[in-house]
Amino acid sequence: MSDAAAQKDKDKAPPRKEITLRRTASIVPQQSVQGRALLAVIVIMSFLACLTIGAVSMIRSTASSWASQISREITIQIKPDDTIDMEKTLIQVRDLALSFVGTRDGQILDKQATSRLLEPWLGAGLDIDELPVPRLVVITIDDQNPPDFTAMRAELKRKIPQAYLDDHRTWVDRLVSMARTTVFIGSGVLGLVFFAMVLTVIFATRGALAGNRHIVEVLHFVGAESSFVAREFQKHFLMVSLKGSLAGAFLAAAMFTAAAWWQSERIATPEADQAAALFGSFTIDWTGYAGIFLTMVIIAALTTVTARFTVMRTIDEIDHIRSDPGRLDQFQG
């Protein structure tokens, strides 16, 4: 046959259809009642855990900020006395305090500032001259190299008996004790939340796998290796846990963001002032975000490990039943 004839026969041949390969479906059903229930459980427990972590971090940061602010200042109170000139005595006390090593700056609270301090208790329009109200001098100190408070107190008592030095040590000790107690209680609550989360995620994962037991049985019967079956279920439940933990962490972070926005929008209002006095600023530091990320990792790892062990245990039960059908009632029970 000539080349022309062969080419002619080739042109007459029907065109070959290209074979299109369909994407292989996942072995584990992507949408099921058990899977949605597990996702909801992970979202809720992740949200509660992240919320607790953020609250503990916020309280610890607020208490640390308060303690730092208090420890950077001392207050000298001068009691009113007819034998002294109050304005000259205030200047004298400030200069005497600033003469000690470790002090940085001094500020005399004038009558208007003193009146504003007493306004919540005595009302507006208070005339300081009509009441025996002590006057204050605020001294800023170097918290890394504080002055000798004992010597300063003795010098003030010797030269100005009406002056009283308050280094806020009592308040700092109480605040530190309160902060430690609050963090301890919050850590205990966080531990309970994590314990409940561990149990809930484990049982929810096992329940979801129990609903897909028939898939494990079919794959095992057709000869799929145990490691392959376990790996497929691990991938599925890893994605479920990552979605749930990410959603819970996002909701917790969004709640803190919304609270911080509310506080900034209502600054200088009674409700915002009360919230700031009780909880401080509704912001969390890097340790809080690190705790939220760690929670996501723990949930994902916990769900994945539970899925693997449950699949391997299911396959082991199937092998025992095949070797001795009389054990079927035992495993079902």
Side-chain angles (χ1 to χ4, degrees):
M1 182 180 293
S2 63
D3 294 340
Q7 182 66 30
K8 186 177 181 180
D9 292 339
K10 185 177 180 181
D11 294 338
K12 291 181 179 180
R16 297 178 59 183
K17 295 183 179 179
E18 295 184 358
I19 300 176
T20 303
L21 298 178
R22 292 188 302 173
R23 185 178 179 181
T24 305
S26 176
I27 294 176
V28 183
Q30 296 298 317
Q31 297 293 334
S32 63
V33 176
Q34 294 86 355
R36 288 193 293 269
L38 176 62
L39 181 63
V41 168
I42 293 177
V43 170
I44 294 173
M45 299 309 298
S46 174
F47 170 73
L48 293 177
C50 293
L51 195 65
T52 307
I53 290 175
V56 173
S57 175
M58 182 184 68
I59 293 174
R60 184 177 63 249
S61 300
T62 302
S64 177
S65 176
W66 286 346
S68 177
Q69 291 176 3
I70 293 176
S71 62
R72 286 197 297 264
E73 292 182 348
I74 61 175
T75 304
I76 301 176
Q77 177 182 237
I78 304 175
K79 299 179 181 178
D81 195 330
D82 295 336
T83 60
I84 62 173
D85 186 341
M86 181 59 72
E87 299 301 327
K88 291 183 179 179
T89 304
L90 288 170
I91 298 175
Q92 182 182 358
V93 167
R94 182 193 61 187
D95 296 340
L96 177 61
L98 293 178
S99 64
F100 283 83
V101 177
T103 57
R104 292 182 173 180
D105 191 17
Q107 179 183 5
I108 299 175
L109 295 187
D110 55 17
K111 295 181 179 180
Q112 289 77 14
T114 305
S115 178
R116 286 195 299 269
L117 289 176
L118 298 175
E119 186 174 333
W121 292 273
L122 301 180
L126 177 66
D127 188 358
I128 297 297
D129 296 329
E130 296 180 356
L131 296 174
V133 177
R135 299 290 301 277
L136 301 177
V137 178
V138 179
I139 304 297
T140 304
I141 64 174
D142 184 0
D143 52 350
Q144 301 297 328
N145 184 29
D148 187 348
F149 296 123
T150 303
M152 185 183 297
R153 187 176 285 108
E155 188 69 13
L156 285 172
K157 185 177 181 180
R158 185 178 67 85
K159 293 186 176 181
I160 310 170
Q162 295 83 2
Y164 171 74
L165 172 64
D166 184 6
D167 58 2
H168 309 303
R169 187 173 303 172
T170 302
W171 292 103
V172 171
D173 293 341
R174 290 180 181 179
L175 185 60
V176 171
S177 178
M178 181 197 70
R180 290 177 178 175
T181 303
T182 305
V183 172
F184 177 76
I185 294 175
S187 300
V189 173
L190 179 61
L192 293 176
V193 171
F194 261 103
F195 183 71
M197 179 188 68
V198 169
L199 294 180
T200 304
V201 170
I202 288 176
F203 284 113
T205 305
R206 294 182 63 181
L209 279 169
N212 296 308
R213 181 187 175 95
H214 60 285
I215 300 176
V216 179
E217 293 177 349
V218 171
L219 292 173
H220 186 59
F221 287 151
V222 298
E225 295 183 358
S226 302
S227 59
F228 170 78
V229 179
R231 187 165 56 250
E232 291 298 318
F233 275 89
Q234 281 179 219
K235 293 178 182 177
H236 173 73
F237 284 99
L238 175 61
M239 294 305 299
V240 171
S241 61
L242 286 177
K243 291 178 182 178
S245 58
L246 182 61
F250 177 78
L251 290 176
M255 177 170 288
F256 282 108
T257 303
W261 175 83
W262 175 86
Q263 191 177 46
S264 63
E265 288 294 319
R266 287 166 174 77
I267 192 171
T269 59
E271 57 270 18
D273 291 342
Q274 289 296 327
L278 289 175
F279 306 106
S281 177
F282 287 104
T283 56
I284 54 179
D285 55 8
W286 69 269
T287 58
Y289 287 106
I292 291 176
F293 177 77
L294 183 61
T295 301
M296 296 173 54
V297 174
I298 291 175
I299 292 176
L302 185 66
T303 306
T304 305
V305 171
T306 303
R308 179 175 182 84
F309 276 98
T310 305
V311 170
M312 299 300 290
R313 180 183 177 185
T314 302
I315 294 176
D316 186 62
E317 291 177 0
I318 294 172
D319 289 338
H320 279 80
I321 293 173
R322 292 178 64 184
S323 62
D324 185 3
R327 299 182 181 181
L328 179 61
D329 295 336
Q330 175 184 350
F331 285 107
Q332 287 179 345

